[in-house]
Amino acid sequence: EVQLVQSGAEVKKPGESLKISCKGSGYRFTTYWIGWVRQMPGKGLEWMGIINPGNFDTRYSPSFQGQVTISVDKSITTAYLQWSSLKASDTAMYYCAMGTRRPYDAFDMWGQGTKVTVSS
Amino acid sequence: DIQMTQSPSTLSASVGDRVTITCRASQSVNSWLAWYQQKPGKAPKLLIYKASTLESGVPSRFSGSESGTEFTLTISSLQPDDFATYYCQHYNNYLGTFGQGTKVEIK
């Protein structure tokens, strides 16, 4: 069974760093690009960026370029979303997702979400 | 950066109604357009991809269409399980943008 399983909820202070994870299983990990989607409390979905786990090619939305880092560790079939210095405005639910018909496609597979709370 | 303008933001409807949601892209997305349904506290669920292809397992009352850069999601006869928020998303050229979302409420 193809699955994306995300790491657990995080509570952090402004200025702290954070790396959340998304582990893929049940398929060849390098086949499909993995994306990250933000959903702030009570708000809509925002496409943050995607990464090719095979060659590490990464594309960011202009809104998130320079604000986060997307990476992968192929050896443990895991994708990451990372912040070097969190802000209160990073408080949100973060989903990883991928499409399984083509290398990059509509997201038919989603992780369960990771809730990030940033508060002093 | 392609912008996706979705309307309406909220829609009040009754069970059995025909519902239409529209999404306009700021430039061509070459039919790489998806529709998702999201319920509170849940991850989004893919309904339609490539503008008009129904995802496996999705009821046939859902359909998608396109005309140039304008895309439409239609629910032919609204069912109680369909009250949710719907999003369009383009996924052209290894990028993506979601529309602002449409909340379908009970009238």
Side-chain angles (χ1 to χ4, degrees), chain A residues 11-32:
Chain A
V11 179
K12 292 289 196 179
K13 290 182 166 44
E16 292 186 331
S17 62
L18 176 64
K19 195 174 190 179
I20 63 175
S21 67
C22 170
K23 182 171 176 60
S25 63
Y27 70 102
R28 184 180 169 199
F29 186 67
T30 55
T31 303
Y32 308 115

Side-chain angles (χ1 to χ4, degrees), chain A residues 33 37 39 43-47 50 59-63 95 101-108 110-112, chain B residues 1 32 34 36 38 41-46 49 55 87 89-100:
Chain A
W33 292 62
V37 176
Q39 188 165 38
K43 302 298 185 183
L45 304 173
E46 299 175 89
W47 191 96
I50 53 171
R59 313 290 172 91
Y60 293 94
S61 162
S63 300
Y95 294 100
R101 270 173 300 271
R102 301 183 307 136
Y104 176 53
D105 208 339
F107 295 146
D108 59 348
W110 291 73
Q112 81 276 22
Chain B
D1 193 22
W32 299 118
Y36 301 88
Q38 188 182 31
K42 300 291 187 183
K45 173 188 173 184
L46 178 65
Y49 62 94
E55 173 71 345
Y87 296 92
Q89 180 221 345
H90 93 79
Y91 52 103
N92 183 52
N93 200 26
Y94 293 89
L95 291 168
T97 309
F98 287 94
Q100 300 92 329

Side-chain angles (χ1 to χ4, degrees), chain A residues 43-103:
Chain A
K43 302 298 185 183
L45 304 173
E46 299 175 89
W47 191 96
M48 301 177 72
I50 53 171
I51 187 164
N52 180 330
N55 63 9
F56 310 114
D57 187 3
T58 309
R59 313 290 172 91
Y60 293 94
S61 162
S63 300
F64 292 94
Q65 180 83 47
Q67 308 305 307
V68 296
T69 301
I70 296 171
S71 61
V72 295
D73 184 335
K74 284 192 288 188
S75 69
I76 55 171
T77 66
T78 299
Y80 299 98
L81 179 64
Q82 182 174 6
W83 295 260
S84 59
S85 181
L86 287 160
K87 310 182 206 46
S89 58
D90 293 317
T91 294
M93 181 70 83
Y94 293 88
Y95 294 100
C96 63
M98 70 182 182
T100 61
R101 270 173 300 271
R102 301 183 307 136

